[in-house]
Amino acid sequence: MNVGIVGLGLIGGSFAKAYHEAGHRVLAYNRTASVTQFAQMANAVDEELTQENISQCDLILLTLYPKACIEYLEKVGAFISKSAVVIDACGTKRDICAACFPIAQKYGWLFVGGHPMAGTHFSGFKYSRATMFKGAPMVLVPPQRDDMQLIDHVVKLLAPCEFGRFSVTTAEKHDEMIAFTSQLAHLVSNAYVKSPTASVHKGFSAGSYKDMTRVAWLNAPMWTELFLENRDYLLSELDALTAALNAYRQALADGDREKLCQLLDEGKKRKEEVG
């Protein structure tokens, strides 16, 4: 299989390594050419992906920011093989699916929205690894959710990544869920570490601090784009969190032991329910 990778950061580099180690031919494009050259020297990429050879690809994986993915497909869409499948790996789905489903339909190939639920707080090709997706969930947003033959085909194309499970959903449902499971967590972590006390935490912190601050170290331009694209759902989650925090704050301010204990017990039980 010929696999095209667009973007050789953490996710794109991990895709490249996974497919190359599985014995597939990997063609890759990165805005900074030196990264592509390094990936070739690292034996993760066979050759550069160009407008001239993109038609050879059976599978194309887009790992740029959402707007950049759309711009890329608008530029090369006419050169992609009609038998190819194009899957993005962006953190939001509504904007990219709304733009790319029509592009795919125009040129006759298949576009499927995708979101690998894997990664680290590090970024860049040097942190990528072939096992990044092993056992991880993969979310798919196909143009038709009830086309099981199409979904089965996509799952087989992604087999070298060794995803642990696949979820098939709509772009709207994906963005609603990801606002809670990912975006809110990054936002809260980033805000939490801004406490003046953080500068003197050493010697007084352990697992709780590490868990809360792990994703505070993020790619600011990328997350800014994702947050703004999904701001309606993220604002809803942020409002719900603010209301919950205000309830705890009021109980503390009032010295209301019974209310505070009730709130804490409710949170404990809720965690038991949702896992």
Side-chain angles (χ1 to χ4, degrees), residues 8 13 16 28 33-46 125:
L8 285 172
S34 60
V35 176
T36 306
Q37 294 165 0
F38 180 78
Q40 288 177 280
M41 289 188 289
N43 201 32
V45 170
D46 293 291
F125 179 82

Side-chain angles (χ1 to χ4, degrees), residues 84-112:
V85 175
V86 179
I87 305 173
D88 82 283
C90 299
T92 55
K93 295 271 76 78
R94 283 178 292 174
D95 286 2
I96 196 164
C97 286
C100 295
F101 284 150
I103 296 173
Q105 188 173 29
K106 177 181 178 180
Y107 294 113
W109 36 265
L110 175 66
F111 175 82
V112 176

Side-chain angles (χ1 to χ4, degrees), residues 47-66:
E47 61 184 276
E48 184 179 6
L49 178 66
T50 66
Q51 189 170 284
E52 288 69 36
N53 64 21
I54 197 170
S55 62
Q56 300 172 22
C57 294
D58 306 292
L59 171 65
I60 299 169
L61 296 163
L62 307 175
T63 64
L64 306 173
Y65 297 178

Side-chain angles (χ1 to χ4, degrees), residues 182-195 209-218 241:
S182 177
Q183 294 186 339
L184 183 65
H186 281 79
L187 195 68
V188 170
S189 180
N190 194 265
Y192 170 78
V193 80
K194 291 178 179 178
S195 166
Y209 174 82
K210 291 179 181 178
D211 289 345
M212 278 291 293
T213 60
R214 184 181 66 82
V215 293
W217 189 21
L218 45 69
L241 176 63

